[in-house]
Amino acid sequence: MTIRTARPDRVQHFRPRMHCLKKLEAVVVEMQSGVKGSEQKLNVTTIPHVIIGKDIIAWITNKMKTTTEESEAFGTMLVAYGYIYPLQNHRKLVMCNDSSLYRFQTPYFWPTQKWVAEHSDYAIYLAKRNIRKKGMLEPYEQAHYNHLHEWLNHKWDFIVMQATEQYKYVNHPTERAYWIVNKPPRRTHSAMDSGLELLIDPNSDEKIPFDVYRRMNLFYQQAIMRSKVKSSVSLGALNKYVTTYKNHDPFLAPCLPSNPWLTDNDTYWTLNMRQVEVPTKMRVERWSFSLFELLSDLRGRDDFKIFLKKEFSGMGTFLAPGAPRWINIDGRTMGLTVKGLDHPHRYVLEAAQTHVFLLMKKDTFFRYLKSPVYKEIEKKALNPEPHNFSPAQLEQNAQNRSPGIHPLILWQQDEAEKAKAAAASAPVDVKALMSKLDRKK
């Protein structure tokens, strides 16, 4: 059963469970014998077994010993789930405590029948409506009809054939009520928008604020300007990614020299520690995939720094003109960054950082891959031979299993390396150094 709080700032609902729907259906079956229906003339058509909204509310109030407001909420829930459907205003799936006309839905369309609202079935229904109305569908139905016609064009002849055979024999009001519940018009009022204290008035037309239209307009403008990629291009990029990384995926390719989780031999981890003098060939090959892969590996980052120093293109640290290690960015980015420092915020340096990163990605990274620095480390890289352990050796490895290095120790080692690198790259304050020497004398 759907549960909804009365607070408009915090509304929750839960999917109905099947046993709750069974209880609802038991109430509906009892209601069919308790609420008397009659023939009603609607426009030029006489409709049998019509029930009135206030009679339903009175029966629920008397049966369940509840207030009128609670009875309206319960009746609205029955309408929202399709057990009862309105005859006069299909856009308002609510139970009104007045002379509004309703009918009980055929059990074939009840939710417990688990009849999935397929797109092809909806297309057949709209085709039948189109034949019966001679092309005069409601605007929302016409929009759905056009979309399905384009989407299901490959089997539209079959859909039209089915609609032509069925439209004279199908009980139209009950089927339409089913599709109103399962494929409702846009902004249809339903029980999901109201509770014991109604969040909307079902008897009044909803007024959409101007700010909603403004945000919708902004969203559509951004959606139109957003670049779109063809599926063939996306699939090509995915295929290229899989081809590039498949040999580096431990699920698709074996670990060299062996998988430590299977052989209890930690040589693989030792060779691929964060700071090793000579990395493996697979690790060096991964650096060439992208600048992000290179900078994500601490060993690769150190090698990249060596290349930058040799080319005198090591990026600076400071923004002020004439400062030691003055960063080299274009005038426009410099102006924006320096202006932002007047009122600093967390993203004030992002423009300069992006400029430097793109410069390295488009130019410096590819020069690094062609440089003697990368060629030398690629030549020295290790290519370990695969281990071929016998069952007896695997048993011996399990007995001699070492606990490995504690993660806290690895973290402390990394912090010490970072502190050492920061101290080595920091600018030298000559005045402080001279004063320190004078004090020693």
Side-chain angles (χ1 to χ4, degrees):
M1 186 180 298
T2 298
I3 302 175
R4 196 165 179 101
T5 63
R7 290 176 54 189
D9 61 328
R10 191 175 182 180
V11 182
Q12 300 180 11
H13 68 277
F14 301 93
R15 290 184 177 274
R17 295 183 178 179
M18 194 57 62
H19 70 276
C20 295
L21 290 177
K22 290 291 186 181
K23 292 181 180 179
L24 283 180
E25 291 178 2
V27 174
V28 173
V29 171
E30 189 175 356
M31 186 187 298
Q32 288 176 342
S33 58
V35 181
K36 294 182 178 180
S38 60
E39 288 189 352
Q40 295 284 343
K41 191 171 184 179
L42 189 63
N43 297 329
V44 295
T45 307
T46 301
I47 304 176
H49 310 298
V50 177
I51 51 180
I52 301 175
K54 59 183 178 183
D55 293 342
I56 302 173
I57 299 300
W59 186 90
I60 296 173
T61 303
N62 181 59
K63 178 68 178 179
M64 299 186 173
K65 309 300 181 185
T66 59
T67 63
T68 303
E69 291 78 9
E70 291 174 331
S71 299
E72 289 182 15
F74 184 79
T76 298
M77 182 172 59
L78 295 178
V79 175
Y81 290 146
Y83 294 106
I84 300 173
Y85 62 89
L87 292 175
Q88 294 163 304
N89 193 342
H90 293 278
R91 287 182 174 271
K92 294 183 178 180
L93 295 178
V94 293
M95 179 67 69
C96 299
N97 190 16
D98 53 21
S99 58
S100 300
L101 305 180
Y102 298 86
R103 285 194 71 189
F104 289 108
Q105 178 61 283
T106 304
Y108 175 75
F109 292 109
W110 285 1
T112 52
Q113 299 299 321
K114 299 181 181 179
W115 189 42
V116 181
E118 298 283 353
H119 293 296
S120 56
D121 293 333
Y122 188 45
I124 294 173
Y125 162 73
L126 290 178
K128 289 186 292 187
R129 287 271 297 167
N130 191 51
I131 296 172
R132 185 177 290 108
K133 293 293 183 179
K134 298 181 180 180
M136 301 297 293
L137 296 175
E138 294 188 24
Y140 83 94
E141 292 178 328
Q142 188 66 52
H144 286 167
Y145 182 86
N146 295 338
H147 172 70
L148 291 171
H149 188 190
E150 180 181 355
W151 189 32
L152 303 175
N153 187 51
H154 60 284
K155 60 176 181 178
W156 195 253
D157 292 338
F158 169 78
I159 291 172
V160 173
M161 181 185 68
Q162 290 290 322
T164 305
E165 293 178 356
Q166 296 178 19
Y167 88 100
K168 292 182 180 179
Y169 308 103
V170 176
N171 191 353
H172 176 63
T174 56
E175 188 178 10
R176 185 184 185 192
Y178 170 83
W179 288 114
I180 286 290
V181 171
N182 290 274
K183 299 286 186 181
R186 187 175 178 271
R187 307 198 68 81
T188 297
H189 292 187
S190 71
M192 301 302 178
D193 299 319
S194 59
L196 300 182
E197 297 178 9
L198 295 183
L199 305 181
I200 61 171
D201 184 3
N203 299 311
S204 63
D205 294 330
E206 184 179 357
K207 295 181 179 179
I208 303 175
F210 172 78
D211 184 63
V212 174
Y213 286 112
R214 183 188 62 80
R215 287 188 281 111
M216 289 172 58
N217 185 40
L218 180 61
F219 171 80
Y220 290 134
Q221 286 180 349
Q222 293 175 346
I224 292 173
M225 296 175 62
R226 190 179 298 121
S227 60
K228 298 176 177 60
V229 181
K230 293 183 178 180
S231 58
S232 59
V233 177
S234 300
L235 292 174
L238 179 61
N239 181 55
K240 181 180 178 181
Y241 179 86
V242 173
T243 304
T244 303
Y245 282 89
K246 66 178 182 180
N247 293 330
H248 296 261
D249 192 323
F251 286 100
L252 302 178
C255 298
L256 293 178
S258 63
N259 190 331
W261 296 103
L262 300 177
T263 62
D264 291 302
N265 184 284
D266 58 2
T267 306
Y268 174 80
W269 286 331
T270 304
L271 294 175
N272 289 277
M273 292 181 67
R274 296 182 181 181
Q275 296 289 353
V276 291
E277 184 176 353
V278 182
T280 62
K281 191 173 290 293
M282 294 288 287
R283 188 172 179 180
V284 175
E285 180 185 339
R286 195 179 181 108
W287 297 349
S288 65
F289 292 167
S290 67
L291 179 62
F292 178 79
E293 290 285 355
L294 176 63
L295 298 182
S296 299
D297 191 327
L298 294 180
R299 181 62 181 82
R301 193 187 309 175
D302 292 341
D303 204 59
F304 190 54
K305 287 180 180 179
I306 295 173
F307 166 75
L308 293 177
K309 290 180 180 178
K310 288 188 175 181
E311 285 217 340
F312 303 100
S313 58
M315 288 301 171
T317 307
F318 303 102
L319 288 168
R325 299 174 61 90
W326 181 27
I327 192 169
N328 181 22
I329 57 177
D330 63 280
R332 181 176 177 275
T333 306
M334 175 69 76
L336 291 173
T337 306
V338 172
K339 184 178 180 180
L341 290 175
D342 296 336
H343 303 283
H345 50 86
R346 62 182 299 184
Y347 302 109
V348 69
L349 299 176
E350 187 167 317
Q353 180 182 357
T354 304
H355 176 82
V356 173
F357 182 83
L358 292 178
L359 187 62
M360 291 192 298
K361 179 181 178 181
K362 295 178 180 179
D363 178 57
T364 315
F365 173 65
F366 293 103
R367 287 192 287 110
Y368 163 72
L369 296 180
K370 299 177 182 178
S371 67
V373 175
Y374 180 75
K375 298 296 183 183
E376 183 67 20
I377 195 67
E378 189 179 28
K379 184 178 179 180
K380 291 181 179 179
L382 301 175
N383 189 15
E385 294 293 329
H387 289 160
N388 294 315
F389 293 114
S390 63
Q393 289 174 322
L394 292 175
E395 184 68 25
Q396 186 68 28
N397 291 345
Q399 295 177 1
N400 298 333
R401 183 187 304 157
S402 62
I405 303 177
H406 196 278
L408 182 60
I409 298 176
L410 291 176
W411 177 80
Q412 291 174 346
Q413 292 176 354
D414 289 340
E415 291 299 315
E417 291 290 339
K418 291 179 183 178
K420 187 186 298 184
S425 60
V428 179
D429 190 340
V430 179
K431 293 183 179 179
L433 182 61
M434 293 301 296
S435 61
K436 186 177 180 180
L437 293 174
D438 291 338
R439 285 197 301 271
K440 288 184 178 180
K441 292 179 180 180

